[in-house]
Amino acid sequence: MYNDMSIWKIIILCLIVLNVLHSQDTADLYYELLDQEFRDKTDNTDINTLITEFENYINSYPNSAQEDEALFRLAGLYKKNSKTNKQFFTLLKLNLLHGKSPLQKSVSFILDSLITYNVEMHLSPESEAAIKTLNNKVAREDYRLSYIDFLSFLHSVNIASIDPLAIDAFNKYRILFKTNTDLDAVLFWQAEIYKRNKMQGLAAMNLKAITSIFKESRFVPKAFFELAQISFNYYKQPDIATDYYIELINQYPEADITGDAQYELARIYDVYFKDTKEALTNYKLQVQAFPDNRYYARSLNRIAELYLAENDYIQSVKYYKQIVESVPDSTFAYGALVKIKDLYLNNINDKAQAAATMQLFLQIFPKHPETPGYILKAAKLYQKDIKDNLKANELFKILIEKYPQTAAAKEAKTLYTQN
């Protein structure tokens, strides 16, 4: 015999089942009505009304048995109304939410046609390539996970014309799936879309939610970095930006973004606060702690410039040399070598080091158009100032053999024969 509690559990379960069945029946009946209206449409049919009702159906009954067909028909209606961005967005949604739909082949064909022939979409080559990879995706059984894939794609594909629709899709996810699972990713992706659409306040709110609620999330370091960027660039609050960068550096020293944060912190002290001492300290921390960071050579270059501005030529040469020695392929290496040469010649007055430096152009930048001229200058220094004719002739010979068509080689022939 059932006790009172068991009876109540059965009653509640029955009510839940009946409610689900009722919802399914309603969805089916609603779609039958829409289906008939769609089939009966004529040239006089109000397309806007049909669009509104299909949108209502999709919003009211997500993941219904007919959602893929409803999305496909809605995309067709958008096409009739010349709403290309909505047509495109709706087809993307169908593609990603219903990977096993029999409509997939037609969807892929239309998407390919849109990205190939419709100039209104303003797609970058990267966006086009990303859309074409959708044909190779693996369909998911779980609707929520499919929706996550949809949101992830909307974030990464970066198409301005559908970004407002993407923002709405993110908001619908949060209503549809009341769970914290993957919500940190959803918040971060949406924040990036907000940010690229100049909606900095909304972006900041999402990012603060991540740092406050999801403290163990992999997105927290990036969220701190983005909050610092918004604080400095949008709200013009360098002190708050500095606090965010310092919190990121102290709490997440191993995160990939931390090297960038250290560089940005140094820049605030350098460019905004004009605090050379703090700027040097932070640039040096950047190059010491993050030698593989993309700003490594830039930080070294700025350290050398700051020392040069202070007339500390020895320290300036030291850091320019570090660029040449550690990152000779960087965009700063050539300029650093020129600076070293100039400092030895004009400030430190060490002609031997200047000549040795100019020889490095031959080793590191053999194809640079100015290299023959530097080799000729080095040879002349050895010949006239350092009084090392053997070394001078060695360089003259290199010029004649390696750069025979240059003006430097022609002059080298004259100088070489005089010895």
Side-chain angles (χ1 to χ4, degrees):
M1 181 175 294
Y2 296 114
N3 58 33
D4 290 344
M5 186 61 70
S6 298
I7 292 170
W8 276 110
K9 285 182 178 178
I10 292 170
I11 292 171
I12 291 169
L13 180 61
C14 289
L15 288 171
I16 291 171
V17 171
L18 286 171
N19 185 55
V20 171
L21 290 173
H22 174 71
S23 296
Q24 290 174 344
D25 289 343
T26 304
D28 292 342
L29 290 170
Y30 191 4
Y31 193 74
E32 285 179 18
L33 172 63
L34 285 177
D35 178 57
Q36 193 61 52
E37 290 292 321
F38 184 86
R39 292 176 186 277
D40 291 345
K41 72 179 184 300
T42 66
D43 290 342
N44 295 323
T45 299
D46 184 354
I47 296 297
N48 287 324
T49 298
L50 267 182
I51 286 174
T52 299
E53 288 308 311
F54 270 99
E55 289 174 341
N56 287 338
Y57 172 81
I58 291 164
N59 289 331
S60 300
Y61 306 103
N63 199 25
S64 68
Q66 299 90 358
E67 186 180 47
D68 60 333
E69 188 171 312
L71 287 166
F72 191 75
R73 287 182 169 178
L74 180 58
L77 292 169
Y78 284 141
K79 181 183 178 182
K80 282 185 176 294
N81 255 14
S82 301
K83 295 180 178 179
T84 306
N85 62 329
K86 288 190 173 183
Q87 178 196 9
F88 183 76
F89 178 86
T90 304
L91 291 171
L92 284 178
K93 185 175 181 179
L94 198 167
N95 184 295
L96 284 151
L97 294 190
H98 300 282
K100 294 185 177 180
S101 169
L103 295 167
Q104 280 290 336
K105 188 173 182 180
S106 297
V107 170
S108 296
F109 177 80
I110 299 170
L111 282 173
D112 187 62
S113 177
L114 283 171
I115 66 176
T116 303
Y117 301 110
N118 200 307
V119 295
E120 295 174 35
M121 295 306 301
H122 302 292
L123 299 179
S124 67
E126 293 78 15
S127 297
E128 286 190 25
I131 294 163
K132 289 177 180 178
T133 64
L134 291 176
N135 295 328
N136 304 319
K137 76 181 188 310
V138 177
R140 289 184 184 266
E141 300 289 342
D142 188 299
Y143 186 71
R144 189 188 71 79
L145 293 179
S146 295
Y147 209 111
I148 288 290
D149 288 343
F150 176 47
L151 298 183
S152 175
F153 184 81
L154 292 175
H155 152 256
S156 62
V157 75
N158 194 2
I159 301 173
S161 60
I162 65 169
D163 269 352
L165 301 171
I167 289 170
D168 187 49
F170 276 87
N171 291 333
K172 285 177 181 174
Y173 172 90
R174 295 167 68 176
I175 296 169
L176 186 59
F177 306 102
K178 294 178 175 59
T179 172
N180 277 354
T181 305
D182 298 315
L183 185 55
D184 56 336
V186 170
L187 288 167
F188 186 80
W189 295 334
Q190 188 182 33
E192 292 212 319
I193 298 176
Y194 279 141
K195 191 177 176 185
R196 70 189 183 216
N197 284 273
K198 313 301 181 188
M199 303 165 76
Q200 310 294 355
L202 289 169
M205 287 301 296
N206 275 28
L207 296 167
K208 287 176 182 177
I210 294 170
T211 59
S212 301
I213 301 168
F214 303 98
K215 295 182 184 295
E216 302 302 317
S217 168
R218 63 191 173 94
F219 291 99
V220 171
K222 289 182 179 178
F224 274 126
F225 185 86
E226 293 299 331
L227 282 167
Q229 292 272 293
I230 291 171
S231 298
F232 185 75
N233 297 319
Y234 182 72
Y235 289 113
K236 311 302 179 187
Q237 297 172 323
D239 291 324
I240 294 176
T242 297
D243 290 341
Y244 279 129
Y245 284 133
I246 291 172
E247 190 165 0
L248 167 55
I249 293 163
N250 290 339
Q251 289 192 31
Y252 304 94
E254 303 301 321
D256 291 339
I257 200 71
T258 306
D260 287 13
Q262 183 64 65
Y263 172 75
E264 295 294 345
L265 180 61
R267 278 189 71 244
I268 290 178
Y269 285 121
D270 181 8
V271 179
Y272 187 85
F273 291 124
K274 309 293 183 185
D275 187 334
T276 300
K277 183 179 178 181
E278 279 297 325
L280 281 171
T281 297
N282 282 278
Y283 282 128
K284 287 178 182 179
L285 284 172
Q286 205 274 342
V287 299
Q288 290 163 9
F290 308 100
D292 297 323
N293 183 263
R294 59 177 173 162
Y295 294 121
Y296 175 76
R298 190 181 295 274
S299 291
L300 285 171
N301 193 71
R302 188 57 186 150
I303 294 169
E305 288 177 342
L306 287 172
Y307 275 124
L308 182 56
E310 297 285 309
N311 297 324
D312 191 338
Y313 307 126
I314 300 299
Q315 285 296 312
S316 185
V317 165
K318 173 186 172 182
Y319 284 96
Y320 279 130
K321 277 186 176 179
Q322 196 170 333
I323 296 172
V324 175
E325 291 167 1
S326 58
V327 279
D329 295 331
S330 78
T331 56
F332 295 95
Y334 182 83
L337 201 53
V338 172
K339 285 288 188 182
I340 296 167
K341 178 265 298 180
D342 289 341
L343 283 166
Y344 277 131
L345 272 179
N346 305 321
N347 303 97
I348 302 174
N349 194 27
D350 189 331
K351 292 186 171 66
Q353 285 293 341
T357 299
M358 284 187 275
Q359 289 178 75
L360 292 175
F361 285 97
L362 181 64
Q363 178 185 329
I364 304 172
F365 304 104
K367 295 182 179 180
H368 196 282
E370 293 181 359
T371 292
Y374 287 130
I375 301 306
L376 180 64
K377 287 179 182 178
K380 286 180 175 180
L381 281 176
Y382 280 116
Q383 186 183 65
K384 296 179 181 178
D385 296 279
I386 304 170
K387 308 300 182 185
D388 186 343
N389 288 329
L390 188 64
K391 186 65 179 178
N393 279 333
E394 178 188 324
L395 295 178
F396 288 141
K397 188 175 181 182
I398 288 172
L399 273 173
I400 294 164
E401 292 176 354
K402 286 186 175 290
Y403 307 96
Q405 303 304 316
T406 63
K410 291 176 183 177
E411 187 174 348
K413 284 181 183 179
T414 304
L415 295 169
Y416 184 71
T417 55
Q418 291 176 358
N419 293 281

